[in-house]
Amino acid sequence: MNEISIFGAICDDKYLILCPARDYKRLEAGDAGPNTGGMGAYSPAPILPDDQLNAMADIVTRPILAEMARRGTPFTGILYAGLMMTADGPKVLEYNTRFGDPECQPLLMRLKSDLVDIMQACIAGELDKVELDIDERSTLGVVLTAKGYPGSYPKGMPISGIEKANELDGVYVFQAGTKAQDGQILANGGRVLCATALGKDLKEAQAHAYEGMACLSMEDSQIRTDIGLKGLKRLGLA
Ligand code: GLY
């Protein structure tokens, strides 16, 4: 499946294109198993290089925004378009008025501009004044879930190694389904955390993210082992 998620901050006719990310929806390597909310993601995505984003926005997002404005309900906020790239061109699967999870984690690691500044400019209608600074390098995130997700799953398992992973160069563990209790971090959801890493290219980002994941330990957990492989294949690197 050739999915890609594109994100923009929008206020009236001002449109700031943020980093795209490629999400992995199926639970298991090789796109096997049930659909999930996302088992990992990377950015940029060779299937839609950053320099083609503006042209893609002309096709899939600007017409929607123009129609909303025409109807007297202009949109302000984050618009996320989930696309399927097909032989017949891009097909829109969904629009969401939010960031995606786990796309947001690699996106945030590439975003050198302060997201709060972008949001405030969005509210003030001053997105045209924002100078977006995006890291040219690659980022990749691997999600750790509780075993059983996306069906029923246990909670309360202690998680260790988060600080150790965060000490690795360019690695950051974003927590989602966790809670702090008695000095420990415990699993408290299906998608528990996302080990995310920056690298000079997709291969290095992938290696760093899995190194970060290797620092972590949680009983009854599962991860996908092939996040990034599709992009590497497209680049002829796998
Ligand atoms: N990763 C898909 C979503 O956030 O809806």
Side-chain angles (χ1 to χ4, degrees):
M1 284 189 284
N2 291 319
E3 292 173 51
I4 178 87
S5 306
I6 63 172
F7 300 90
I10 289 135
C11 179
D12 301 331
D13 59 343
K14 303 178 190 80
Y15 187 11
L16 198 63
I17 296 177
L18 305 171
C19 322
R22 183 154 185 178
D23 184 15
Y24 283 71
K25 290 277 195 323
R26 297 274 169 187
L27 180 69
E28 292 161 21
D31 279 339
N35 220 15
T36 71
M39 296 298 292
Y42 59 86
S43 177
I47 196 164
L48 182 64
D50 285 6
D51 61 5
Q52 292 176 22
L53 282 172
N54 198 36
M56 187 58 71
D58 279 344
I59 302 170
V60 302
T61 35
R62 289 197 175 96
I64 295 274
L65 299 170
E67 177 60 15
M68 289 180 77
R70 191 192 67 77
R71 293 183 184 195
T73 53
F75 178 75
T76 295
I78 296 292
L79 187 68
Y80 145 21
L83 312 179
M84 187 68 79
M85 306 297 274
T86 75
D88 298 330
K91 307 284 179 198
V92 177
L93 294 177
E94 58 181 353
Y95 291 104
N96 291 297
T97 53
R98 58 171 173 80
F99 282 114
D101 174 22
E103 295 99 314
C104 189
Q105 293 87 325
L107 182 159
L108 284 179
M109 280 191 97
R110 287 189 68 205
L111 192 65
K112 295 206 254 179
S113 312
D114 192 324
L115 182 62
V116 174
D117 292 343
I118 295 172
M119 296 287 85
Q120 283 180 333
C122 200
I123 294 164
E126 294 178 344
L127 276 174
D128 49 341
K129 294 189 184 152
V130 173
E131 286 207 18
L132 197 60
D133 193 5
I134 289 181
D135 202 312
E136 297 284 313
R137 292 175 291 173
S138 287
T139 53
L140 182 142
V142 182
V143 172
L144 180 135
T145 73
K147 218 169 192 94
Y149 171 85
S152 59
Y153 51 81
K155 289 183 181 176
M157 299 80 81
I159 306 161
S160 62
I162 293 177
E163 281 174 16
K164 191 173 164 204
N166 285 342
E167 279 166 14
L168 296 178
D169 196 26
V171 174
Y172 189 75
V173 177
F174 290 86
Q175 297 182 46
T178 63
K179 69 173 178 184
Q181 190 175 297
D182 301 330
Q184 280 191 306
I185 302 292
L186 307 179
N188 195 39
R191 292 217 299 279
V192 176
L193 54 79
C194 183
T196 312
L198 191 64
K200 67 177 185 305
D201 52 26
L202 180 57
K203 205 171 179 65
E204 192 177 272
Q206 183 195 49
H208 287 173
Y210 279 104
E211 279 163 26
M213 187 56 85
C215 295
L216 304 172
S217 171
M218 183 184 104
E219 266 185 28
D220 293 326
S221 62
Q222 57 193 354
I223 62 167
R224 234 183 110 148
T225 51
D226 65 344
I227 306 299
L229 187 59
K230 289 175 189 174
L232 291 175
K233 282 189 175 160
R234 184 163 281 272
L235 295 168
L237 296 173

